[in-house]
Amino acid sequence: MEARVGVVVEGGQRALNTATATAVHNSVVDAGNRKLLQQQPQTQTQSCQQYHQSNKRSLNQQQGHLGIVEHLLAGGIAGAFSKTCTAPLARLTILFQIQGMQSEAAILSSPKIWHEASRIVKEEGFRAFWKGNLVTVAHRLPYSAVNFYTYGEYKKFFNSNPVLQNYKGNAAVDTSVHFVSGGLAGLTAASATYPLDLVRTRLSAQRHTIYYQGIGHAFRTICREEGIWGLYKGLGATLLGVGPNLAIGFAAYESFRTFWRSHRPNDSDVPVSLGSGSLSGIVSSTVTFPLDLVRRRMQLEGAGGRARVYTTGLFGTFKHIFKAEGIRGLYRGILPEYYKVVPGVGIAFMTFEQLKKLLSVPN
């Protein structure tokens, strides 16, 4: 009996020990599994962070670093190249814009673009389409350089604002930043290079009578006859036109490019920047063309001894044109303007984006 009891007790003890060991083992396994499950999301998160950081480093290495000089050079060359390509249409636009001035109305009797182009070729020669292009390039190089560079700097400034950083990725906020940055960049560039713009306009507007013999002669003549402030005639209309024009242009370009990339991410940068720039040019020119027309006419006031037509300032000139020529008068020359900006703005943005890649220094 004692032997049987001993066997039973011994068997019970072994069973108890086995159950205890199993319970301990299961507890350890469960604890290990829980720890593994807790670590797994952290590991996945760390892996994702490392992946994104690696991608970011790789992208930065591909993009490289664009210095101030390289940035200015890319912007200047892009603007000069674009203007040279579209110089014939730019001259036609100016001639149509000044058609309503009394001293020009009788000369420009034909409202047809191709008739006027044929007249220029017949009377002045094919090279006359690039009349004033040297001063255009001299103006566009610093203008576009300052424009593109300051746009990037203004955009950096706003994006570094702690308040705006809370809304990073918001489409409306991003568009507002692009709009304001583009407007400020346009005001900065236009103010810095305005005298060259005025001289360019007067040289391009010359036809049969050559009053200004070149860039230097034009500067000296204007300063002598109209004073130093003659070089800034029409600046108010320019700033009112350039600010909104570039604000709309840059904002539209960024929006079109983002939309394009979201639907066709594999497209080359060339058609994306060319197409987005062309569309942005149409939008911005349509909105701001009347101010550009007023600016051109104010710039030509008193040029070559012609009689003054507008004597009441910016808004008085606007009112005078609207009263005398109607709404169509404010959009005189819009068709050649479209012909000019569609390729012109597209070429400028495309050239700038390609030059940035070419001139960037690897990190």
Side-chain angles (χ1 to χ4, degrees):
M1 178 63 72
E2 290 177 357
R4 291 178 181 174
V5 171
V7 171
V8 172
V9 171
E10 185 178 357
Q13 186 66 36
R14 282 199 302 270
L16 181 61
N17 291 340
T18 301
T20 302
T22 302
V24 171
H25 173 73
N26 290 338
S27 177
V28 170
V29 170
D30 290 341
N33 288 337
R34 284 196 299 272
K35 186 175 181 181
L36 182 61
L37 290 173
Q38 290 172 354
Q39 290 178 345
Q40 188 173 0
Q42 296 176 357
T43 304
Q44 291 176 346
T45 301
Q46 292 173 354
S47 299
C48 289
Q49 291 175 348
Q50 292 173 356
Y51 173 77
H52 288 301
Q53 289 173 357
S54 175
N55 274 355
K56 189 175 181 180
R57 284 194 299 269
S58 176
L59 183 60
N60 289 336
Q61 289 172 356
Q62 291 174 2
Q63 290 178 341
H65 172 69
L66 197 67
I68 296 176
V69 175
E70 290 82 3
H71 204 142
L72 290 170
L73 188 61
I77 292 174
F81 178 66
S82 170
K83 279 295 181 181
T84 301
C85 291
T86 58
L89 288 165
R91 183 158 189 236
L92 283 172
T93 300
I94 291 174
L95 291 176
F96 272 84
Q97 284 179 326
I98 65 175
Q99 185 177 355
M101 300 180 73
Q102 292 177 1
S103 57
E104 300 286 344
I107 299 174
L108 282 175
S109 57
S110 175
K112 302 296 183 181
I113 295 174
W114 298 115
H115 289 177
E116 180 62 18
S118 300
R119 184 204 61 77
I120 291 174
V121 173
K122 183 179 179 180
E123 296 180 4
E124 305 176 55
F126 186 73
R127 293 181 60 184
F129 280 118
W130 280 268
K131 184 182 288 185
N133 189 60
L134 181 60
V135 71
T136 296
V137 171
H139 164 260
R140 188 54 53 166
L141 274 169
Y143 175 84
S144 292
V146 173
N147 187 27
F148 278 109
Y149 176 72
T150 53
Y151 171 70
E153 292 302 306
Y154 282 128
K155 195 164 63 168
K156 282 184 198 174
F157 172 76
F158 287 118
N159 285 331
S160 64
N161 186 291
V163 176
L164 293 179
Q165 284 182 343
N166 296 328
Y167 299 94
K168 196 171 183 179
N170 184 288
V173 173
D174 289 344
T175 301
S176 299
V177 168
H178 299 152
F179 183 88
V180 175
S181 299
L184 291 175
L187 294 177
T188 304
S191 300
T193 61
Y194 186 76
L196 279 168
D197 184 43
L198 181 135
V199 170
R200 173 179 72 93
T201 298
R202 294 200 177 183
L203 287 174
S204 298
Q206 292 185 129
R207 303 184 65 209
H208 300 295
T209 304
I210 305 300
Y211 192 77
Y212 303 111
Q213 303 299 323
I215 300 174
H217 180 259
F219 270 108
R220 292 192 299 271
T221 303
I222 293 170
C223 289
R224 184 179 64 251
E225 295 182 354
E226 305 172 49
I228 190 67
W229 293 112
L231 293 172
Y232 291 90
K233 192 173 287 184
L235 178 60
T238 298
L239 295 181
L240 282 175
V242 167
N245 183 283
L246 289 178
I248 295 169
F250 274 111
Y253 172 74
E254 298 278 8
S255 299
F256 284 132
R257 189 176 64 168
T258 301
F259 179 81
W260 192 321
R261 283 296 186 198
S262 66
H263 287 77
R264 300 179 64 89
N266 297 323
D267 283 357
S268 170
D269 287 339
V270 173
V272 172
S273 55
L274 189 63
S276 301
S278 298
L279 291 171
S280 70
I282 293 174
V283 174
S284 59
S285 291
T286 302
V287 175
T288 62
F289 187 81
L291 280 170
D292 186 60
L293 181 138
V294 171
R295 172 175 70 98
R296 295 293 185 197
R297 294 198 184 182
M298 292 186 71
Q299 284 179 332
L300 292 170
E301 280 284 278
R306 60 162 55 93
R308 293 181 64 85
V309 180
Y310 313 112
T311 58
T312 53
L314 172 63
F315 295 105
T317 301
F318 195 96
K319 183 178 178 181
H320 183 281
I321 295 171
F322 181 77
K323 184 177 179 180
E325 305 172 50
I327 190 67
R328 293 182 62 183
L330 293 172
Y331 281 92
R332 192 185 298 276
I334 188 66
L335 195 55
E337 175 74 2
Y338 283 150
Y339 292 157
K340 178 185 73 172
V341 300
V342 169
V345 179
I347 290 171
F349 276 111
M350 181 269 291
T351 307
F352 178 66
E353 297 291 351
Q354 296 306 306
L355 285 174
K356 280 202 303 182
K357 292 181 182 178
L358 182 65
L359 298 173
S360 62
V361 179
N363 292 322

